[in-house]
């Protein structure tokens, strides 16, 4: 599920600032290469014990990811349910408590990056 209207799409930040702010909210920079990075936040639904991952992808618009002053732009924010052994499933409905937590964390991240 792609999350729209988060206020983060297109936002630009230095890599060091984005890493620090994302970590404060609970995200980790997981997948990355020279010009792209994905940040993940694991959320668990207590009712079903299912894991969901709130993700946002970024692209370097200036510099490369090994440089702390590289400028990254946030591109897409999405959430999916973890499945074993296949990875992620983005089509099933996401429980409202998980969506509420996701929205709260995204708002915190937007505030830190403002």
């Amino acid at each position: 599920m792609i999350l729209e209207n988060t206020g983060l799409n297109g936002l630009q930040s230095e890599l060091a600032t984005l890493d620090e702010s994302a970590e404060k909210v609970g995200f980790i920079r997981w997948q990355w290469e020279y010009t792209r990075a994905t940040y993940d936040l694991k959320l668990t639904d207590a009712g079903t014990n299912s894991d969901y991952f709130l993700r946002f992808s970024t692209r370097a618009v200036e510099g490369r990811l090994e440089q702390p002053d590289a400028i990254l732009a946030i591109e897409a924010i999405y959430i999916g349910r973890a499945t074993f052994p296949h990875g992620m499933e983005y089509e099933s409905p996401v429980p409202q408590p998980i969506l509420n937590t996701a929205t709260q964390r995204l708002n915190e991240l937007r505030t830190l990056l403002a």
Side-chain angles (χ1 to χ4, degrees):
M1 166 188 287
I2 294 175
L3 301 177
E4 305 286 342
N5 303 317
T6 62
L8 290 168
N9 293 63
L11 189 72
Q12 294 186 5
S13 174
E14 284 189 344
L15 171 63
T17 302
L18 183 56
D19 278 350
E20 181 181 324
S21 299
E23 186 177 320
K24 284 181 182 177
V25 178
F27 285 92
I28 58 168
R29 180 166 36 116
W30 196 246
Q31 301 173 350
W32 65 277
E33 57 184 50
Y34 294 109
T35 60
R36 296 181 296 172
T38 301
Y39 292 78
D40 286 347
L41 172 67
K42 182 179 177 181
L43 302 169
T44 302
D45 180 20
T48 63
N49 207 30
S50 295
D51 291 328
Y52 293 83
F53 284 87
L54 176 60
R55 268 188 183 158
F56 65 91
S57 56
T58 63
R59 183 171 302 277
V61 293
E62 210 175 288
R64 293 186 143 192
L65 277 163
E66 65 269 13
Q67 302 167 325
D69 62 343
I71 304 296
L72 299 176
I74 297 175
E75 292 186 327
I77 296 111
Y78 46 100
I79 190 167
R81 185 174 58 86
T83 61
F84 180 81
H86 303 294
M88 298 293 291
E89 195 274 305
Y90 296 103
E91 299 302 320
S92 65
V94 177
Q96 194 59 50
I98 295 294
L99 283 175
N100 292 344
T101 301
T103 300
Q104 175 190 358
R105 297 292 178 90
L106 292 171
N107 287 337
E108 291 173 18
L109 180 61
R110 189 178 66 241
T111 299
L112 288 170
L113 293 174

